[in-house]
Amino acid sequence: MAAVGDLAVKFGGLIKKERVFDFKNGVFGAPTKRSEVCALNLRKLRAGGSRIGGAQAVMQVGVESDAGVSRDSKNLEGALGFDVVTEVELREKGFLGLRKTKLVCTIGPACCSLDDLEKLAMGGMNVARLNMCHNTREWHQDLVRKINKLNEEKGFCVSLMIDTEGSQIHVVDHGAPSTVKAEEGSVWFFTNEKFEGSRPFTIQANYEGFAEGIQVGDEIVFDGGMATFKVVEKVGNDLRCKCTDPGLLLPRAKLSFWRDGKLVEKNYQLPTLSPKDWSDIDFGISEGVDFIAMSFVNDADAVTHLKNYISTKSSKSIQVLAKIESLEALHKLHEIVAASDGIMIARGDLGVEIPLEQIPTVQEEITYVCRQLNKPVVVASQLLESMVEYPTPTRAEVADVSEAVRQYADALMLSGESAIGPFGQKALSVLRMTSSRMELWSREENRQDILFQHNLEPSLPDQIADQICNSAAAMANNLGIDAIFVYTRHGQMASVISRNRPNPPIFAFTNESSTRMALNLRWGVTPLVVDLSDDMEGNITRSVHLLKTNGLIKNGDTVLVVSDIIPTSTTQTVFQSIQVKTIA
Ligand SMILES: Nc1ncnc2c1ncn2[C@@H]1O[C@H](COP(=O)(O)OP(=O)(O)OP(=O)(O)O)[C@@H](O)[C@H]1O
Ligand SMILES: CC(=O)C(=O)O
Ligand SMILES: [K+]
Ligand SMILES: [Mg+2]
């Protein structure tokens, strides 16, 4: 509850129920109504098994009794596997109060102490992102060590992502340590040559071929519109340009070239992964990071190549996220999404290559394609940009965040807001508060879009698994279930349930740590590591018991349990089941 002196923010108007958010402590003032879940007597809903193409699908409804599990099974207590943040959130807000949208924070100098990282973790950071464009190998190594320490010693579950630098034409030197103003009509020299000391009106670009194919009359745009120059003369490999739209030139500003209102695509000459990127990738593999985000992906081959490389180098499964940040990537969106393990909509660089007014529709299109193909999608860049400087967001920023949540993006990302801004924790709490609000609204208004169900895989067993997950999500909504439990070794079942964006939270029990960390980016999924035995009934009974003894689930709660493979002692038949259990 917001104490006197705390900054309390209220959203009213359109929204029916008000909740007060305490920025300082990062908690909601009023818990989500548990009465949203109707009490159900599920005992009457008993249904038998039905045969589908050789595999057996069982649908059972029963009453879970605690009597069968002995309370002295101490070895299981530690195996609950909940992370500390979910546990607190669950105790405070109940099942429906758990946030669905995942949060990624870029780590930088403003938040790199163990203490800062712990505060971000406590504030709901699901994934820590290290941008390899900046800082040293030692700095990144230290960060990895700190995140691992927090996970191991403090019970957090924060996944690690590295983000490659990639190849892109940008400013190396513009003659000043920070921003330079370009006045209208001023003439500037663009070169790849390094220059010593101060040379006014000179810009050094990072790539020697930057002026290849560029003609007199073409335009150079800084950072997608910060300032614009017209090429007035070609001088060998260099360009003399006149400022036509005055503005600010930032260090490392991104350059794009335009002719007759169309982008002159130049990045095709640059490799998606440079030698430095390969070295950073080797670092990520050796540190056992969970995600590698690949900058400036231009086609599916680049993604497949990296995935193959990782599989030969790493025993651990590492997820490759393709960053969509070029026009070329948009042209090949489907194949890139299909080849990758997930997508980042890198709106920063995308806005350099496409007109800004197209970003919202492109974002909606990408999130839609990702959901169809069951790939997690991160919406990134400038979500709360003003908070790099100010302690509150603009209304427009909150609206932008809400829109990404309404589109059911899996995750939202902070960049400079957490990396260099003094209000990183506040920015994180704004993301948390805004997503929870929009999730509640979508649920209450029943705004869920009908998902056109692509079959994800052609084979029959996979289609059965898909259909089971789809049906489970529908059942969970229709029956007002409190929580969905899914037993999943590689995360596939959990991801397909998540793809349906059901109302109750999804607890994904897995025995693979890498599956757990990968599921951290999936909408609505709380991943837990447990010892999964072949006795699936035993697994289910044990996990319910563990939640109950820890006070996280109580009599009368209803849980929908989805399991994939239940080989029993007498038969090796593959069972796939949906069971509804009322805790008694
Ligand atoms: N590890 C770091 N060390 C120092 N500064 C950092 C670090 N990571 C990020 N920053 C700073 O935070 C800003 C925002 O970070 P972010 O990585 O999102 O931006 P970016 O460099 O523009 O992104 P990208 O290269 O992925 O397009 C950067 O411009 C940089 O100033
Ligand atoms: C995140 C990133 O790389 C971008 O927005 O360009
Ligand atoms: K990057
Ligand atoms: Mg980028």
Side-chain angles (χ1 to χ4, degrees), residues 220-437:
I220 303 182
V221 177
F222 276 64
D223 283 332
M226 287 286 260
T228 304
F229 293 76
K230 200 175 207 87
V231 179
V232 291
E233 189 186 356
K234 283 199 82 171
V235 190
N237 287 332
D238 304 331
L239 301 173
R240 195 177 312 281
C241 307
K242 188 167 163 183
C243 179
T244 50
D245 187 11
L248 297 178
L249 315 184
L250 302 179
R252 260 189 86 90
K254 289 139 191 183
L255 304 180
S256 59
F257 298 82
W258 297 76
R259 184 174 303 147
D260 303 327
K262 285 209 178 108
L263 184 78
V264 183
E265 290 189 61
K266 293 186 64 66
N267 273 347
Y268 63 89
Q269 295 150 329
L270 305 171
T272 303
L273 294 171
S274 68
K276 175 183 183 289
D277 291 331
W278 283 111
S279 151
D280 289 336
I281 286 163
D282 284 338
F283 162 75
I285 293 172
S286 69
E287 294 293 337
V289 300
D290 307 294
F291 298 96
I292 297 179
M294 197 181 183
S295 294
F296 298 101
V297 169
N298 283 330
D299 54 31
D301 286 348
V303 180
T304 308
H305 184 51
L306 178 57
K307 279 176 67 72
N308 291 341
Y309 179 80
I310 293 170
S311 64
T312 61
K313 288 272 177 165
S314 170
S315 54
K316 171 183 170 170
S317 143
I318 298 176
Q319 308 288 300
V320 173
L321 301 186
K323 292 174 67 183
I324 306 298
E325 48 188 342
S326 67
L327 190 58
E328 206 171 340
L330 283 180
H331 292 324
K332 297 182 186 159
L333 183 63
H334 258 270
E335 63 164 68
I336 293 172
V337 175
S340 69
D341 300 313
I343 291 293
M344 185 192 292
I345 309 177
R347 303 188 304 181
D349 285 308
L350 198 52
V352 171
E353 297 223 342
I354 65 171
L356 295 186
E357 65 272 17
Q358 289 179 17
I359 300 262
T361 46
V362 161
Q363 174 180 315
E364 179 133 19
E365 166 82 12
I366 300 172
T367 52
Y368 178 79
V369 172
C370 287
R371 215 170 135 208
Q372 292 302 336
L373 301 184
N374 194 29
K375 304 296 166 88
V377 60
V378 184
V379 175
S381 293
Q382 297 187 345
L383 278 91
L384 299 172
E385 185 71 13
S386 73
M387 290 193 79
V388 173
E389 232 177 305
Y390 299 103
T392 63
T394 67
R395 281 61 179 152
E397 285 164 346
V398 172
D400 174 51
V401 171
S402 299
E403 176 58 14
V405 176
R406 192 199 56 75
Q407 288 169 3
Y408 289 110
D410 289 83
L412 307 173
M413 189 174 105
L414 293 178
S415 300
E417 300 94 329
S418 51
I420 47 172
F423 309 110
Q425 289 158 39
K426 271 191 182 170
L428 186 61
S429 73
V430 170
L431 288 190
R432 202 176 57 226
M433 166 188 69
T434 307
S435 5
S436 294
R437 164 59 66 191

Side-chain angles (χ1 to χ4, degrees), residues 45-330:
L45 296 170
R46 190 170 293 276
S50 61
R51 280 218 152 255
I52 311 171
Q56 180 150 37
V58 180
M59 201 182 273
Q60 279 180 251
V61 180
V63 178
E64 175 72 13
S65 164
D66 202 29
V69 185
S70 95
R71 287 194 175 270
D72 59 12
S73 45
K74 277 278 182 280
N75 57 325
L76 294 173
E77 298 295 334
L80 182 59
F82 257 109
D83 67 277
V84 60
V85 181
T86 308
E87 194 173 331
V88 169
E89 218 180 349
L90 189 53
R91 283 189 204 285
E92 280 177 4
K93 300 182 215 154
F95 286 111
L96 272 189
L98 289 183
R99 172 174 42 85
K100 307 296 177 71
T101 312
K102 300 305 179 82
L103 305 176
V104 182
C105 298
T106 301
I107 308 303
C111 62
C112 61
S113 75
L114 196 60
D115 194 39
D116 290 332
L117 293 168
E118 181 168 352
K119 283 181 183 146
L120 288 177
M122 208 57 222
M125 166 172 68
N126 301 102
V127 179
R129 165 181 179 255
L130 300 176
N131 188 350
M132 307 314 274
C133 290
H134 311 289
N135 239 310
T136 61
R137 174 63 49 84
E138 292 67 37
W139 187 90
H140 291 295
Q141 200 144 28
D142 181 50
L143 248 300
V144 171
R145 195 185 51 77
K146 284 173 178 159
I147 296 290
N148 288 339
K149 188 177 161 75
L150 286 175
N151 287 345
E152 282 157 22
E153 294 176 13
K154 301 266 174 126
F156 291 107
C157 179
V158 177
S159 303
L160 268 162
M161 177 191 297
I162 60 163
D163 189 322
T164 62
E165 178 162 358
S167 310
Q168 176 194 29
I169 301 173
H170 64 84
V171 171
V172 181
D173 192 351
H174 60 355
S178 58
T179 308
V180 174
K181 186 151 194 283
E183 304 285 356
E184 181 153 15
S186 58
V187 175
W188 293 66
F189 193 65
F190 287 67
T191 178
N192 170 242
E193 303 280 315
K194 185 168 170 47
F195 50 93
E196 298 300 331
S198 147
R199 231 167 79 188
F201 301 106
T202 306
I203 305 277
Q204 188 198 343
N206 65 325
Y207 173 57
E208 64 174 2
F210 81 98
E212 262 169 37
I214 297 303
Q215 303 166 4
V216 169
D218 289 349
E219 286 187 315
I220 303 182
V221 177
F222 276 64
D223 283 332
M226 287 286 260
T228 304
F229 293 76
K230 200 175 207 87
V231 179
V232 291
E233 189 186 356
K234 283 199 82 171
V235 190
N237 287 332
D238 304 331
L239 301 173
R240 195 177 312 281
C241 307
K242 188 167 163 183
C243 179
T244 50
D245 187 11
L248 297 178
L249 315 184
L250 302 179
R252 260 189 86 90
K254 289 139 191 183
L255 304 180
S256 59
F257 298 82
W258 297 76
R259 184 174 303 147
D260 303 327
K262 285 209 178 108
L263 184 78
V264 183
E265 290 189 61
K266 293 186 64 66
N267 273 347
Y268 63 89
Q269 295 150 329
L270 305 171
T272 303
L273 294 171
S274 68
K276 175 183 183 289
D277 291 331
W278 283 111
S279 151
D280 289 336
I281 286 163
D282 284 338
F283 162 75
I285 293 172
S286 69
E287 294 293 337
V289 300
D290 307 294
F291 298 96
I292 297 179
M294 197 181 183
S295 294
F296 298 101
V297 169
N298 283 330
D299 54 31
D301 286 348
V303 180
T304 308
H305 184 51
L306 178 57
K307 279 176 67 72
N308 291 341
Y309 179 80
I310 293 170
S311 64
T312 61
K313 288 272 177 165
S314 170
S315 54
K316 171 183 170 170
S317 143
I318 298 176
Q319 308 288 300
V320 173
L321 301 186
K323 292 174 67 183
I324 306 298
E325 48 188 342
S326 67
L327 190 58
E328 206 171 340
L330 283 180

